[in-house]
Amino acid sequence: MQGRFKRDGSASAEPEPHGGAGPKTGSSSPQHAQNPGPAPSGDGGGPGRPGVSAAPTPAPPVKPPSGAPGPGSRVALRNWRISTRLVSLLALPVVAATSLGALRISDSMTDIQQLDNMKLLTDMTKQATALATALQDERDLSAGPLSHGGKASDYEVKGYEEKTDRARDNFINASEEVDSASKSGNLQGVRESLVGLATELDNLDRIRKAAYQSPNNSTQTVDAYHRLITQLLDLSQDMAEATSNPEMIQRTRALAAFSSAKEFSSVQRAVIAAALPASNTVAGSLSANDRLYADSALESEKSELSIFRNIYGDQGAEELITPIEDSNPIIESADTYAQRVLDNQNGLASLDKRSYKDWVDDSSTKIEQMKKIEHTLLEDMEQKARELRSASEREAIISGALILLVLGVSLVGAFVIARSMIRSLRRLQETANKVAQDRLPELVRQLSESDPQDVDTSVESVGVHSRDEIGQVASAFDDVHREAVRLASEQAMLRGNVNAMFTNLSRRSQGLIQRQLSLISELESREADPDQLSSLFKLDHLATRMRRNGENLLVLAGEEPGRRWTRPVPLVDVLRAAASEVEQYERIELSSVPTTEVAGRVVNDLVHLLAELLENATSFSSPQTKVKVTGHALPDGRVLIEIHDTGIGLSPEDLAAINERLASPPTVDVSVSRRMGLFVVGRLSQRHGIRIQLRPSDSGGTTALVMLPVDVAQGGKKPAPGKPGQAAVGAAAAAAAAG
């Protein structure tokens, strides 16, 4: 009989019309509804046909405990990273400390700004004091000449006015700096005072024109100058607005009081100078109004000095004003003279005659000492402002340094703590991922491929041995890992026992079937009746398919055939042997099979593999169609076998899933028993490096591509040169398979 070939090299096998154990799906496949024909046996689905659930059975999803909430939103507190939680935990006290420090720095910066304004006002006060002194000198020293017929154009008077004008220009220039500073919102009150003072200074020329023009009425001129000088001296009072420092406020008020005392002393000098004659030969004349005005100035001087003592402090004030009150006979003499002149109406007549020059010289001694004291007060204020500014700067720097230190310590502490926690958590995570993705799968693979007793099942600890919660979780994970390894070992031993049962049952069945085939072959050789011979052929074919089912059990158990061919076998004989094991073998059409040989060690497995594919192709295509089998010898020595059917085909998703299972056969489980053909084909191809891929056929249906490697297709020999036409066809097929 054509195509008769026994894989074990013993008796021949006749193809039979029934049964089969190819890699096909159950009877519920939609293919059966459209293509009536022989129903496949219930051994499960095979590759490349509808109804095959090729995708691996997914692991059941991990369900949260009953009533437990899900992970929730990403922004939920429990989903924050550990480092984020630590930073958030430290954020509140750090922000509070930073805020307090920032407020302190802000206060220091405000103090610095105030002290900068204080320095500006101190310079302004110096200019105002200098201008007030110039006005006092102009008023007092020109009182005598102008009251006795002198003119403003006289050299002596003109010199005082020019000195005053220079002081006024310096004052106006200094006031522009205050005007610039006030634009930022500071020193608004001082600026308003300066605007009013500038207006009053514009009246200085008018005051000069009428200076001492009224006989016996020097008060008019003295008071006009006095009002202008008082406004200048009041600037020291405005200095208190620039700072909230009590010491600076005290010093500005003390300066204002002493400057006022000096002004009242200067008023007395001017009034008495205007009343005295140009020479000491005649007595002077002091009107009642001028006397009362000067006497009021004398009392005001005493009052301002008393205020100065109270503000500055008795001990410090006495030390400052000692030069004008004690141990200076000229000052004492001038004060006594002024006291006597102003005590009664005829004071000048009762005293020795003296000129206004003598009086001015004597009284100026006191004024000069008061100028020195005033200058000392200004210098003390300026020095104190510098000290306070330096102190504020130091305080701001210290506060900033403390804030930076707190932030640095907080961040470093958070970093160290977070690092220690994250390092443990990261190690736990990395170990868990490595166990889940590498160690445990590799151990399961070793257990499934080797004797469990020969596999090292020891569990490597995570390595986190702390006593905190992270260490406890790591310890729990080690326990879970050990339990998983133990269960995997038990499962491997169970699978080994099952495989052993499969092997024993299959070996026994194989022996019985082989004896049955031998008996059937003997009966076939002696039978002459064609009908009986046809029945024997069917029985022979059925036994052959039963043998293939038994061999499927060996493949499931990971065993190899007991006997192998020792010499190469032509590929055409291998294809015929595979076709002879298919129920509908008469529908299989071989064409263009290259003259190459298959290595003997692969013959039985290749026949089994091709038989499963052919069984599947005939089962899921119309009975009226042919299943075409072609072969192509490729230039590199490989051989491509194509099996074409004309079924309804498969979707791209099903093809991708089936090809994936063919490339990587799954672990043996219950689902494999329902798809035994698919599993067997994948196992056999993987055993010998044979590549199998299913593709949609151009004419409809499915094409199975079987790529035999060189060591299989050439039987260990060098590639034989093919025919010219075959080389071109083989090259095109190889390109299609590689794509």
Side-chain angles (χ1 to χ4, degrees):
M1 179 177 291
Q2 294 182 356
R4 308 258 326 226
F5 172 75
K6 289 292 185 177
R7 280 181 279 166
D8 58 0
S10 57
S12 62
E14 186 71 26
E16 68 279 343
H18 302 291
K24 49 189 177 292
T25 60
S27 61
S28 61
S29 169
Q31 177 70 26
H32 292 279
Q34 298 182 18
N35 299 309
S41 60
D43 63 343
R49 297 299 173 263
V52 176
S53 178
T57 304
V62 178
K63 296 182 179 180
S66 179
S73 173
R74 188 176 182 82
V75 298
L77 181 61
R78 59 181 175 177
N79 293 329
W80 289 10
R81 298 172 63 89
I82 296 296
S83 57
T84 305
R85 296 186 189 183
L86 288 175
V87 170
S88 301
L89 182 63
L90 292 173
L92 185 59
V94 169
V95 168
T98 304
S99 300
L100 294 176
L103 289 176
R104 188 168 182 178
I105 293 176
S106 177
D107 292 340
S108 299
M109 297 304 295
T110 301
D111 292 341
I112 292 174
Q113 180 63 40
Q114 290 178 351
L115 292 170
D116 286 339
N117 293 336
M118 193 69 187
K119 182 179 180 304
L120 179 62
L121 288 178
T122 301
D123 295 338
M124 190 70 206
T125 302
K126 282 185 176 182
Q127 298 296 333
T129 302
L131 178 56
T133 300
L135 288 172
Q136 290 169 353
D137 290 342
E138 177 185 337
R139 176 190 62 189
D140 300 350
L141 301 181
S142 64
L146 293 178
S147 298
H148 297 84
K151 296 181 180 179
S153 58
D154 291 346
Y155 174 77
E156 185 178 8
V157 177
K158 191 67 175 177
Y160 298 137
E161 292 180 355
E162 290 176 354
K163 182 180 178 182
T164 302
D165 291 339
R166 288 194 298 270
R168 178 175 62 178
D169 293 339
N170 294 335
F171 175 78
I172 295 299
N173 293 334
S175 66
E176 292 179 358
E177 298 183 10
V178 176
D179 184 66
S180 300
S182 65
K183 293 180 180 178
S184 61
N186 299 320
L187 307 178
Q188 288 292 337
V190 177
R191 180 180 179 279
E192 293 175 0
S193 299
L194 288 175
V195 171
L197 187 56
T199 303
E200 293 295 331
L201 288 174
D202 291 339
N203 297 327
L204 182 58
D205 292 336
R206 180 180 58 79
I207 296 174
R208 288 172 175 173
K209 290 180 181 179
Y212 303 105
Q213 296 298 316
S214 299
N216 297 322
N217 190 13
S218 62
T219 301
Q220 182 178 359
T221 301
V222 173
D223 189 62
Y225 276 98
H226 174 69
R227 288 195 300 270
L228 193 58
I229 293 171
T230 300
Q231 292 186 35
L232 288 170
L233 298 180
D234 286 343
L235 285 178
S236 60
Q237 296 283 6
D238 295 333
M239 291 172 65
E241 297 180 5
T243 180
S244 58
N245 187 272
E247 287 190 55
M248 292 302 298
I249 294 175
Q250 177 186 7
R251 290 174 183 269
T252 55
R253 290 178 178 175
L255 174 63
F258 189 82
S259 296
S260 297
K262 178 169 131 328
E263 164 60 12
F264 288 122
S265 179
S266 178
V267 166
Q268 301 170 51
R269 181 177 65 170
V271 172
I272 296 176
L276 291 174
S279 65
N280 55 6
T281 57
V282 296
S285 175
L286 181 64
S287 65
N289 185 47
D290 291 345
R291 186 186 68 81
L292 291 175
Y293 186 81
D295 185 60
S296 175
L298 178 60
E299 296 299 327
S300 296
E301 178 189 0
K302 296 177 181 179
S303 175
E304 292 296 334
L305 287 175
S306 177
I307 294 173
F308 170 73
R309 290 188 181 93
N310 293 333
I311 295 175
Y312 199 80
D314 290 339
Q315 184 176 356
E318 292 299 332
E319 184 178 351
L320 276 176
I321 63 177
T322 295
I324 63 173
E325 291 189 345
D326 298 325
S327 68
N328 193 322
I330 298 176
I331 295 176
E332 292 179 357
S333 174
D335 288 343
T336 302
Y337 182 80
Q339 185 69 43
R340 291 178 179 178
V341 169
L342 300 177
D343 279 344
N344 55 75
Q345 184 63 37
N346 297 320
L348 283 177
S350 61
L351 296 175
D352 294 337
K353 299 180 180 65
R354 61 191 308 177
S355 64
Y356 64 84
K357 292 181 180 181
D358 296 334
W359 161 248
V360 169
D361 291 340
D362 294 342
S363 60
S364 294
T365 302
K366 180 181 180 180
I367 299 297
E368 290 300 325
Q369 290 295 333
M370 297 184 79
K371 287 180 184 178
K372 294 178 180 180
I373 296 172
E374 189 177 49
H375 180 73
T376 301
L377 292 174
L378 284 170
E379 292 295 331
D380 289 346
M381 283 179 54
E382 191 173 16
Q383 179 64 26
K384 188 62 178 179
R386 284 195 296 265
E387 292 176 358
L388 291 174
R389 191 181 190 283
S390 299
S392 297
E393 288 180 347
R394 286 195 302 271
E395 185 177 356
I397 293 173
I398 292 173
S399 298
L402 288 176
I403 291 176
L404 293 177
L405 181 62
V406 169
L407 289 176
V409 171
S410 301
L411 292 177
V412 170
F415 175 76
V416 171
I417 296 174
R419 185 181 180 186
S420 65
M421 296 177 63
I422 292 174
R423 182 181 296 175
S424 300
L425 289 173
R426 188 170 295 164
R427 184 168 185 177
L428 178 59
Q429 178 189 7
E430 291 175 354
T431 304
N433 291 335
K434 193 171 183 180
V435 167
Q437 299 173 7
D438 299 329
R439 293 182 188 173
L440 201 55
E442 178 65 18
L443 180 64
V444 172
R445 185 189 64 79
Q446 293 178 4
L447 290 172
S448 63
E449 296 178 356
S450 307
D451 188 350
Q453 297 180 354
D454 298 334
V455 178
D456 182 13
T457 57
S458 61
V459 175
E460 182 180 354
S461 176
V462 174
V464 180
H465 305 294
S466 58
R467 298 182 180 180
D468 59 354
E469 289 80 357
I470 299 176
Q472 295 174 7
V473 172
S475 177
F477 177 78
D478 289 339
D479 294 339
V480 172
H481 188 190
R482 280 190 289 269
E483 185 66 18
V485 170
R486 186 186 65 80
L487 291 176
S489 300
E490 292 181 357
Q491 290 292 326
M493 294 180 64
L494 180 61
R495 283 196 300 270
N497 294 334
V498 173
N499 290 340
M501 288 189 294
F502 282 170
T503 302
N504 292 333
L505 292 175
S506 178
R507 295 295 186 194
R508 293 184 180 184
S509 298
Q510 289 287 84
L512 294 175
I513 293 173
Q514 192 63 40
R515 292 172 57 188
Q516 182 181 5
L517 286 172
S518 299
L519 180 60
I520 293 173
S521 296
E522 184 180 351
L523 292 175
E524 288 174 348
S525 63
R526 295 185 307 202
E527 183 62 50
D529 187 358
D531 294 334
Q532 293 295 331
L533 187 60
S534 175
S535 298
L536 289 174
F537 284 161
K538 292 178 181 179
L539 186 61
D540 187 354
H541 188 75
L542 181 60
T544 301
R545 295 177 63 194
M546 291 173 60
R547 182 182 63 184
R548 194 170 79 229
N549 270 342
E551 291 177 351
N552 285 344
L553 292 178
L554 289 178
V555 175
L556 288 178
E559 298 290 336
E560 296 186 2
R563 288 179 294 176
R564 295 181 178 178
W565 290 81
T566 59
R567 65 181 185 277
V569 176
L571 178 62
V572 65
D573 291 340
V574 173
L575 291 174
R576 288 172 180 171
S580 68
E581 296 189 5
V582 178
E583 180 180 5
Q584 304 179 51
Y585 64 91
E586 68 278 359
R587 292 175 52 202
I588 299 174
E589 181 180 294
L590 302 180
S591 63
S592 301
V593 178
T595 58
T596 184
E597 294 181 336
V598 178
R601 61 182 174 80
V602 190
V603 169
N604 284 343
D605 288 342
L606 184 58
V607 170
H608 191 170
L609 183 152
L610 293 173
E612 295 288 349
L613 293 175
L614 291 173
E615 185 78 47
N616 193 67
T618 57
S619 298
F620 293 101
S621 61
S622 175
Q624 292 77 26
T625 60
K626 294 288 186 179
V627 175
K628 296 181 180 181
V629 181
T630 60
H632 306 283
L634 305 184
D636 59 0
R638 295 180 298 168
V639 173
L640 176 66
I641 301 173
E642 299 183 10
I643 301 174
H644 304 274
D645 66 53
T646 55
I648 62 173
L650 292 171
S651 65
E653 293 78 10
D654 291 338
L655 280 175
I658 292 174
N659 287 326
E660 176 65 24
R661 290 178 67 87
L662 287 173
S664 301
T667 304
V668 178
D669 54 13
V670 178
S671 63
V672 169
S673 65
R674 295 193 296 266
R675 307 180 187 88
M676 188 179 300
L678 180 67
F679 177 82
V680 168
V681 170
R683 273 287 180 90
L684 293 177
S685 63
Q686 195 177 50
R687 179 182 296 174
H688 301 290
I690 300 173
R691 292 179 54 192
I692 300 178
Q693 192 174 38
L694 301 184
R695 292 187 176 181
S697 178
D698 295 336
S699 59
T702 304
T703 298
L705 302 177
V706 181
M707 182 69 72
L708 303 182
V710 176
D711 60 339
V712 172
Q714 300 301 324
K717 301 178 181 179
K718 295 183 179 180
K723 297 180 180 180
Q726 290 177 337
V729 173

